[in-house]
Amino acid sequence: MKTLALETSAKSVSVAVTEDGKVLASSYQNIGLTHSVTLMPLLDGMLQNAALTLKDMDLLAVAAGPGSFTGLRIGVSALKGLAWAEDKPCCGVSTLEAMAQNGRLFTGMVVCAMDARRSQVYNALFRCENGQLTRLCPDRAIGLEELAEELRKDEGPKLALGDGGRLCCDYLNSHGIACRLAPENGLYQSAVGVALAAEDMARRGETVSGRDLVPTYLRLSQAERERLAKGLKITVE
């Protein structure tokens, strides 16, 4: 099964193709340009260089959230268009679960974190043993203090991943909770992780059509919060 994956949930952008756990092609950029400019040329270049086409794919996948509201919308919208063109099944993958793929060589608790601002992180916890990941909690937005109290109960080794990994790791260590930070080349989420997580989802029958693919934000946007603070409705009728 060939899987094409997109990752646009944070500052970096990446695309990848895997086949039954093997990476066939991947491309990654983290130079600060907007994903609406970089994503499609990156995808087109990777497919051309690998002599692959959209028709070759059995499954399409995207990091569906949590993450940057704009980034997620760009990635999900792009994948919906690709799926519609070829009528391909899709997987909207948790950004945090895709990120956890980087921790498969670690033994212990994998602490996935994205900076959600306001002293919070988007977080999910996984237990990794013998290369197998077990989810310990749902994706959530959680305060660093609350996360530290939760992790204090676990005395095993911990590895922090993600663009909030350093923030999380520093906070935990400063509060007496030992935690390692993943190395730079394995710290951030990538489309390879999205594809690998999507393969597992497909085996469980968790695919959807492009029409039904939606982002997962976990938290209201700043604009929505400001409307609520003013007593206004979030949606305009």
Side-chain angles (χ1 to χ4, degrees):
M1 178 177 67
K2 287 187 176 67
T3 300
L4 171 67
L6 314 180
E7 219 299 338
T8 60
S9 66
K11 291 182 179 180
S12 63
V13 57
S14 57
V15 295
V17 175
T18 62
E19 184 173 24
D20 301 324
K22 177 183 177 181
V23 181
L24 300 183
S26 67
S27 189
Y28 177 97
Q29 283 187 10
N30 189 14
I31 56 176
L33 294 176
T34 180
H35 301 332
S36 61
V37 172
T38 57
L39 176 61
M40 298 313 291
L42 198 69
L43 174 60
D44 186 55
M46 179 195 70
L47 291 175
Q48 285 195 35
N49 289 336
L52 294 167
T53 70
L54 193 58
K55 292 182 183 295
D56 297 323
M57 304 303 147
D58 303 296
L59 178 68
L60 306 182
V62 65
S68 158
F69 284 70
T70 302
L72 294 176
R73 284 193 291 266
I74 290 171
V76 169
S77 296
L79 200 80
K80 287 170 78 74
L82 295 173
W84 177 82
E86 294 293 338
D87 193 25
K88 300 287 186 178
C90 301
C91 285
V93 178
S94 158
T95 308
L96 298 165
E97 188 162 343
M99 183 189 303
Q101 306 301 315
N102 293 359
R104 282 189 179 272
L105 296 180
F106 180 73
T107 298
M109 182 181 291
V110 178
V111 182
C112 298
M114 299 182 71
D115 189 357
R117 313 294 182 185
R118 303 163 67 204
S119 298
Q120 286 190 327
V121 288
Y122 295 127
N123 165 257
L125 304 174
F126 298 83
R127 181 78 63 191
C128 189
E129 294 182 6
N130 300 318
Q132 297 300 310
L133 293 165
T134 301
R135 181 182 277 273
L136 302 179
C137 69
D139 292 357
R140 61 206 177 159
I142 187 171
L144 290 170
E145 182 177 358
E146 183 181 354
L147 178 62
E149 287 306 307
E150 182 177 330
L151 295 182
R152 196 180 300 279
K153 304 169 187 176
D154 188 294
E155 297 181 354
K158 299 173 184 64
L159 179 72
L161 298 170
D163 66 8
R166 185 169 283 103
L167 172 69
C168 195
C169 188
D170 289 347
Y171 187 91
L172 293 175
N173 283 310
S174 69
H175 287 74
I177 304 167
C179 183
R180 291 170 50 192
L181 182 67
E184 187 72 19
N185 63 353
L187 183 60
Y188 302 109
Q189 58 267 43
S190 75
V192 170
V194 174
L196 295 176
E199 288 184 0
D200 290 339
M201 292 177 67
R203 282 189 283 268
R204 298 192 297 265
E206 299 173 2
T207 62
V208 298
S209 67
R211 181 188 62 186
D212 295 328
L213 191 67
V214 293
T216 303
Y217 297 125
L218 289 188
R219 204 171 70 181
L220 295 176
S221 68
Q222 181 178 346
E224 289 170 326
R225 293 195 303 270
E226 290 175 353
R227 286 186 64 85
L228 285 178
K230 296 175 181 177
L232 302 173
K233 292 182 180 180
I234 293 178
T235 57
V236 179
E237 297 179 355

